[in-house]
């Protein structure tokens, strides 16, 4: 009953009266308080924390129970205080935000006095103001200060009316202090962390960041008398009773001490601290606008948008393990206006959130699917409209966001029989191969083939048959030692491949096959031919399925490893793997990934191969090289993460071993003292036996400690080696990006010229269509002239190549910033101070939030 409180009420899409439901629940709980008070207390607090969209209902319930049992009300306040203080100390952002809201609505139910809420607000305000002060604070931690202010502002839609009625002067003082804070804080504008490089014409936020936008909405709410239609106020029905209840002082809370400013101060030290702050207190920079504001905020006040967004984000956060219930709650919020467009925009804002979404993309796909089923008459149309809007602006969409959108759309369509109005996108066939819209459709279709089969996807685009040319070839394997009929042809290399194939069929051991390769191929035809024949033949055998591929690599991977010893040979192995799977990107990516797992090829070899000339030319026409590169970096990151977890685990084991040794030694010392004090021979004999056993225990614990220490040293050595290799990896990666840009650009880009290619000021690249409107034609002409004049590049294809390459560089730096910062001094010294393309520096610095 407590968990489902209010779910069947009119405000949440039901027909039950909310006041009667709360009254019934409080009556039942009151009768159980004497026997199960602690359990009820924990349950109510947990519901308020994990179902925060119903916090007003739970606060009213606590208020009614407080009338019957004051001890219960006091315990709720004390528990909320302890949890809030713990959340502040552990820097748990979500709990801080939710508990701040809960104590605010408890104030509305007269469980907490308004003066206590104001005191909490001022504590956070004081900490925030001190943080951004150049002399007394540490502005690198502005993310925490902004978060505290956001928490205060976020409470006002739920409790601003009561505070204005009961402590108006205190509320005015808080509002004045917030305005003063906003005047001294640094405005946040980080284009590298925005989904779109330029805002839509009808959705500009006036240059405001998210906190400034929220402040404007709160000021409008204040002018409107703090009336919020989207926040239920069930306590008003019991107001005459609640005012007679006892209020409990909410003891002061303390904010954690801010880290000292780095000394000596440098942009690297400041950047590291700022990155740490952003990790602990992630910020929403600006809203993602997909639809016109007239649709998303139709029939609602400005503050209602913020409240509905909070409802939706809270539900997705706390019900991520119950997607059916999550969709049900999202579809029945306690508001009187339609919010399907706002709901879609909020979900996509999380899916496309940079640098990382809160959850994996498949979670948001499942939520959207369930919402389409829960609201079949409205939401599918809204989702389709969002896809069309994003597709229209895909030229301006961040490269990483494009990749996420492609994965989501292919998965979404796979749950609806791949039905889509493909004829709407037929015009992409008239666009160049490098056009972002054409590449988008191509990648979606290729991802769909992975989730189904070629014939099924071919059938789904029957109404747009021209799109067939964007599908991958039906035959995924390109075995070079087979004729067109699939039978092996004659010739030296063909016969060698056939003989190797027979050896595998005869189940010869890898040692026997390696000996045959050395005698019959390497000795006669050379090492390169051996790599060619062996890799092509073995992977052809494993090309039937993933399980066949994994089996071949497990059994015969050491043969490829011996042949591919050295980076140049590893690159040849990767190249042959790519060739045989040139029509099947998924198999190529998985094969190379497994080779890295089995240590057949290294991440450095993969990076070098990705930037080979044949791949560089695909940077703007295919996601194939980027997918392989991302897999290699992900695998490297996962190895380091596993090693870190291993070190932490062994450190705990070492600590336990030390404690066990200390306890055993203490027991031994105590037994020796008792032995010396023993008077009777019988007691001395007993103590001697015990002493012998305790000495053995001490020796055993010493050995265990020594073993754990050795294990820790080995783990530390492996981690140090992995971090060193990681440092080399990123240095190599940045050099490859710079070299590729230097070779590909027709002229050297100066820093001024790069302003156009950079994320913060880059204009959307235009693509000529057959029948452009006059306004579009004028805009395209201006953009073309600006690109041509500023960049000195010869063609739009080269412009798009640079845009894609720099976009991928930003995306990779953004994603692995935590791994890059520890090595930034070495990277600066070996890469960014040398002869490096200026666009690389700008892209990397923007992704790391470093000033150029």
């Amino acid at each position: 009953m407590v968990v489902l409180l209010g779910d069947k009420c009119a405000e949440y899409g039901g027909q039950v009266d909310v006041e009667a439901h709360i009254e019934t629940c409080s009556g039942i709980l009151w009768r159980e308080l004497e026997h199960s008070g602690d359990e009820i207390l924990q349950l109510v607090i947990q519901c308020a924390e994990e179902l925060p969209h119903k916090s007003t209902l739970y606060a009213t319930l606590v208020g009614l129970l407080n009338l019957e049992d004051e001890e219960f009300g006091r315990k709720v306040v004390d528990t909320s205080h302890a949890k809030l203080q713990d959340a502040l100390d552990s820097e748990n952002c979500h709990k801080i935000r939710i508990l701040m809201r809960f104590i605010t609505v408890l104030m509305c139910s007269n469980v907490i006095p308004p003066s206590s809420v104001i005191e909490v607000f001022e504590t956070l305000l004081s900490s925030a103001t001190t943080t951004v002060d150049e002399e007394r604070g540490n502005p690198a931690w502005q993310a925490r200060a902004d978060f505290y202010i956001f928490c205060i502002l976020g409470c006002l839609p739920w409790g601003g009316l009561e505070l204005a009625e009961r402590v108006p002067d205190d509320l005015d003082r808080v509002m004045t202090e917030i305005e003063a804070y906003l005047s001294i804080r640094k405005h946040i504008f980080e284009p590298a962390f925005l989904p779109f490089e330029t805002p839509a014409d009808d959705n500009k936020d006036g240059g405001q960041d998210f906190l400034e936008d929220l402040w404007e909405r709160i000021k409008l709410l204040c002018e409107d008398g703090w009336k919020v239609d989207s926040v239920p106020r069930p306590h008003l029905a019991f107001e005459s009773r609640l005012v007679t209840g006892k209020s409990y002082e909410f003891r002061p809370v303390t904010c954690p001490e801010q880290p000292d400013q780095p000394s000596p101060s440098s942009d690297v030290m400041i950047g590291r601290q700022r990155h740490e702050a952003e990790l602990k207190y992630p910020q929403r920079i600006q809203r993602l606008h997909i639809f016109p504001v007239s649709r998303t905020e139709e029939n609602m006040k400005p503050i209602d948008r913020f409240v509905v967004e909070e409802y939706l984000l809270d539900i997705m956060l706390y019900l991520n393990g119950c997607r059916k219930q999550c969709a049900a709650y999202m579809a029945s919020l306690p508001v009187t206006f339609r919010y399907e467009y706002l709901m879609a925009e909020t979900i996509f804002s999380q899916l496309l959130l940079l640098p990382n979404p809160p959850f994996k993309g498949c979670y948001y796909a499942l939520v959207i699917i369930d919402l389409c089923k829960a609201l079949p008459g409205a939401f599918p149309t809204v989702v389709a409209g969002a896809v069309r809007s994003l597709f229209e602006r895909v030229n301006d969409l961040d490269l990483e966001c494009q990749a996420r959108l492609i994965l989501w759309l292919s998965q979404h369509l796979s749950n609806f029989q791949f039905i889509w109005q493909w004829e709407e996108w037929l015009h992409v066939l008239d666009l160049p191969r490098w056009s972002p819209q054409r590449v988008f459709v191509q990648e979606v279709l290729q991802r769909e083939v992975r989730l189904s089969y070629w014939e099924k996807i071919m059938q789904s685009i029957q109404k747009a048959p021209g799109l067939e040319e964007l599908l991958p070839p039906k035959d995924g394997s390109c075995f070079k030692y087979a004729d067109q009929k699939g039978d092996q042809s004659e010739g030296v290399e063909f016969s060698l491949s056939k003989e190797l194939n027979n050896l595998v069929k005869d189940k010869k051991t890898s040692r026997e096959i390696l000996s045959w390769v050395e005698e019959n191929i390497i000795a006669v035809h050379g090492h390169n031919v051996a790599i060619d024949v062996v890799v092509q033949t073995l992977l052809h055998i494993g090309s039937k399925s993933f399980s066949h591929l994994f089996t071949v690599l497990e059994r015969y991977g050491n043969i490829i490893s011996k042949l591919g010893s050295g980076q140049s040979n590893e690159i040849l192995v990767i190249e042959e793997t790519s060739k045989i799977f040139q029509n099947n990107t998924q198999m190529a990516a998985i094969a190379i990934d497994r080779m890295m797992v089995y240590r057949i090829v290294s991440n450095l070899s993969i990076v070098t191969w990705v930037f080979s000339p044949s791949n560089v030319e695909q940077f703007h026409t295919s996601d194939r090289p980027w997918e392989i590169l991302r897999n290699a970096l992900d695998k490297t990151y996962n190895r380091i993460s596993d090693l870190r977890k291993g070190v932490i685990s062994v450190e705990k084991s070492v600590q336990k071993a030390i404690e066990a040794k200390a306890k055993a030694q203490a027991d031994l010392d105590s037994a020796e003292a008792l032995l010396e004090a023993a008077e009777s021979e019988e007691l001395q004999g007993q103590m001697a036996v015990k002493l012998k056993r305790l000495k053995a225990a001490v020796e055993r614990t010493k050995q265990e400690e020594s073993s754990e220490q050795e294990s820790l040293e080995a783990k530390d050595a492996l981690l140090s080696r992995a971090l060193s290799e990681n440092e080399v990896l990123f240095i190599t990666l940045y050099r490859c990006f710079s070299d590729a840009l230097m070779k590909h650009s027709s002229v050297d880009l100066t820093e001024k010229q790069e302003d156009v290619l950079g994320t913060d000021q880059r204009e959307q690249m235009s693509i000529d269509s057959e029948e452009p409107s006059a306004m579009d034609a004028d805009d395209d002409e201006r953009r073309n002239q600006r690109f041509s004049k500023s960049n000195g590049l010869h063609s739009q294809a080269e412009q798009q190549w640079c845009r894609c390459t720099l976009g991928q560089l930003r995306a990779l730096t953004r994603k692995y910033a935590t791994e890059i910062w520890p090595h930034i001094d070495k990277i600066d010294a070996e890469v960014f101070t040398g002869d490096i393309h200026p666009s690389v520096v700008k892209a990397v610095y923007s992704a790391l939030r470093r000033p150029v």
Side-chain angles (χ1 to χ4, degrees), residues 12 25 29 78 86 107 138 145 176 303 406 432 452 492 566 585 621 666 707 725 791 803 811 829 837 849:
Y12 292 89
C25 186
L29 292 181
D78 290 344
D86 180 66
M107 178 269 299
N138 186 354
T176 302
I303 195 62
I406 288 167
S452 182
V492 177
T585 299
T621 61
S707 175
E725 292 174 352
N791 294 321
R803 176 183 180 273
H837 201 289
R849 297 186 170 103

Side-chain angles (χ1 to χ4, degrees), residues 188-204:
I188 297 177
F189 180 64
E190 296 173 340
F193 290 82
L194 298 178
F196 289 111
E197 295 157 5
T198 57
D201 293 337
D202 56 351
N203 284 325
K204 292 183 179 178

Side-chain angles (χ1 to χ4, degrees), residues 131-147:
T131 297
V132 297
D133 186 273
E134 293 284 351
E135 296 180 358
R136 297 182 301 152
N138 186 354
W141 281 76
Q142 181 180 315
R144 182 169 71 183
D146 282 355
F147 173 74

Side-chain angles (χ1 to χ4, degrees), residues 585-601:
T585 299
Q586 185 179 26
M587 286 295 283
I590 290 177
I592 294 173
D593 182 75
R594 300 306 295 183
M595 286 180 177
M596 184 174 168
V597 170
Y598 297 139
R599 308 279 181 171
I600 297 173
V601 298

